[in-house]
Amino acid sequence: MLWRAFSFLLIQGLGGWLGGLLAPDNLQIRGMVIGMLIASVLAFLVDFSRGLQVLRWLRREDLADLPVSRGLWGEVAYRVRRLTRSREQLAQASEKRLQDFLAALQASPNGVVLIDAEGCIEWFNQTAASHFGLDPQRDRLQRLVNLVRDPAFVTYASRNDFSHGLSMNGRGAGTSKPLRLSVQFHPYGEGRRLLLSRDITALEQAEAQRRDFVANVSHEIRTPLTVLAGFIETLQTLPLQEEERAHYLELMARQSQRMQSLVGDLLTLSRLEASPLPDAVALVPVPPLMTQLAEEAAALSAALAQRAQPVHELHFSAPPPLAIRGSADEIHSALSNLVSNAVRYTPAGGSVRAEWLLHEDGGASFRVQDSGPGIAPEHIPRLTERFYRVDRSRSRDSGGTGLGLAIVKHVAQRHGAELHIESTPGRGSSFTIGFPVHRLHHVAEPAHQPS
Ligand code: ADP
């Protein structure tokens, strides 16, 4: 400022001096005044043009190059540019923070919808879009209740009590593709609301399965228990012949055997669910396992027909020199379930064939084929569900628990293997467990038996 006043006075002085110098001797004072006036006008014009330059520069969007670098206007331009830059940086930082925040909400596994005081959608993430069928372009600033029209949701949204959530169907939910949501509003700011939605389909299905499971187990145990209680009462109250007594005791033994099998299978299943995955260090050699399975099949075939000899044609092919990496108990349980099913469901005189198939990629499969009644295609996807039976009475009569294939599926999964079922009604069934190469040990390699 001081420099500006000083330079103005200097220009005035210079103008006055020049005016006095150029004027005739008797008009020197007038010449000085005119010189000062001219100097003032010139100074004003220079100042004005600089001001105009700064104004034009301010009107531009890009304030990169300063229009004037010195003087008062230079300082004004410099300060304006500094202020604008710091504001821009602040705005950029806030924008980045907002984007980070929205990206975090976008990454949330839950649906998030921000709703303004008028009930209109301000923002929502992709999960919310798929939960409620919203379109990011079309539905912003629309009233939420106009888009999510489930009556229970509309009532919930119109209430002012959001202390509890609501369970509802998601958009596009149907019997083939259920989508159950748990939604809850959380008020914030001035009249704004945050809507969170969570996919609880799996949770509800697991809960329903748990309820079904408990009901099934109770039912399965109650039936033999009721029969047992009836026989006990008969034995206690009726004077029976020795032969009749023996017959009743035989029937009671069968029922208790049935309960034992059921409890055994339930324990096996719960062990499979609770224990860590079997490691790939222990080796289960296939040849002795095949021998054991063949002996068990022969014994079962004979026992079912109450004969001394098997009543099925049993073909157990010579196994390859192979070992499976995993749990011996689990693998035996899975393979013997497949063999025993084949024997139990194939009528006497039918054939059961068990064999190992080697794949080109180094994997191998255990396959059991039978000439039994076969299974209709609609049952096949459900066979591994607990207690799912196609032929309930045949399953019970032959000592089935309805848990065998559930155990097989679990064991297969725990060993990275896959269960494959093929069947044609009237022409028999084929059950195959395919083991991947990393779960197999070809005996040519040096075997590493854990201590
Ligand atoms: P279960 O103890 O009743 O045999 P599983 O889980 O082992 O239970 O099998 C489920 C159902 O699948 C059986 O009840 C039976 O109806 C059917 N099934 C299994 N294996 C065969 C087979 N080899 N032939 C025909 N049906 C079979």
Side-chain angles (χ1 to χ4, degrees), residues 265 337-338 340-346 368 370 372-375 382-392 394-396 398-408 423 428-431:
D265 276 0
N337 261 307
L338 294 186
S340 92
N341 276 356
V343 173
R344 287 192 300 116
Y345 292 105
T346 303
V368 185
D370 64 55
I375 305 160
R382 300 196 58 191
L383 290 184
T384 53
E385 285 176 22
R386 291 159 191 206
F387 298 112
Y388 188 86
R389 291 159 165 130
V390 182
D391 185 343
R392 195 162 281 272
R394 182 155 184 90
S395 160
R396 289 228 175 93
S398 60
T401 60
L403 297 173
L405 290 180
I407 293 174
V408 175
S423 189
S429 313
S430 155
F431 288 75

